[in-house]
Amino acid sequence: MLRRAQAWFETFTRHRWALTFDPRAAADDRFRARDLERGEARRLEELSTATRMQLFVAVRVAFAAEAERGRHPLPIVLDEALTTSDAARFEAVARALGTLARGGRQVIYLSARHEDAAAWRAAVGAGCTVLELSPERLARDGAAPPARLALPDAPA
């Protein structure tokens, strides 16, 4: 699983970063990210938010592949996980996840940003379906607005 996560992480970061694991290190210090250009290792909390999120997505994808072993592919659901990524890395992650989707895995990306939908379309092409759930869009399409959950007040 760690080798898969490392391969995904390198792909996502366009071979700038690698995931390392030292089983002899203290439990909270076993995982590091190695900057392949500078040759230095960093603790996960020292990474930028974008690089750390790309690492987490890589680990999630590797974990899903390990957990499903021979079963139906598990869906990957991401909620604005790439919002802080630069355009090149966003594209690298979207393209890589697009290959998973073409292989039969559902990849669901949630975002409130229209530019994220455009970036997914540009990276994945015809294999990308965008569902806009804004009340304006639903009204334009003649669909009912999304249901709102109303909870009763707590008893006094």
Side-chain angles (χ1 to χ4, degrees):
M1 185 184 91
L2 289 172
R3 281 191 292 276
R4 283 185 185 153
Q6 180 178 14
W8 283 113
F9 186 48
E10 286 188 40
T11 298
F12 292 170
T13 63
R14 303 174 71 204
H15 302 283
R16 168 76 194 274
W17 292 94
L19 175 63
T20 63
F21 177 74
D22 182 357
R24 298 167 301 197
D28 63 344
D29 203 31
R30 290 183 180 155
F31 289 98
R32 294 276 180 130
R34 176 165 300 285
D35 183 329
L36 297 175
E37 290 178 3
R38 296 185 178 145
E40 57 190 42
R42 293 201 187 153
R43 297 174 64 132
L44 302 186
E45 58 270 8
E46 295 174 321
L47 298 174
S48 70
T49 301
T51 301
R52 192 170 44 252
M53 288 305 296
Q54 292 153 14
L55 180 119
F56 293 155
V57 171
V59 170
R60 183 179 299 176
V61 169
F63 178 79
E66 184 70 23
E68 68 200 17
R69 285 224 167 152
R71 293 183 230 143
H72 188 70
L74 297 171
I76 301 293
V77 179
L78 304 169
D79 187 358
E80 296 189 328
L82 304 176
T83 299
T84 57
S85 296
D86 63 43
R89 292 240 194 120
F90 193 112
E91 180 183 9
V93 176
R95 280 185 188 272
L97 295 177
T99 64
L100 288 176
R102 282 188 290 283
R105 181 183 307 278
Q106 283 184 307
V107 178
I108 301 165
Y109 188 84
L110 306 171
S111 179
R113 298 170 11 123
H114 293 285
E115 55 269 30
D116 283 2
W120 275 95
R121 280 189 189 112
V124 178
C128 180
T129 301
V130 174
L131 301 174
E132 186 178 335
L133 300 178
S134 69
E136 298 82 16
R137 174 63 188 245
L138 293 170
R140 208 171 39 241
D141 292 346
R148 299 192 189 270
L149 178 62
L151 299 174
D153 292 333

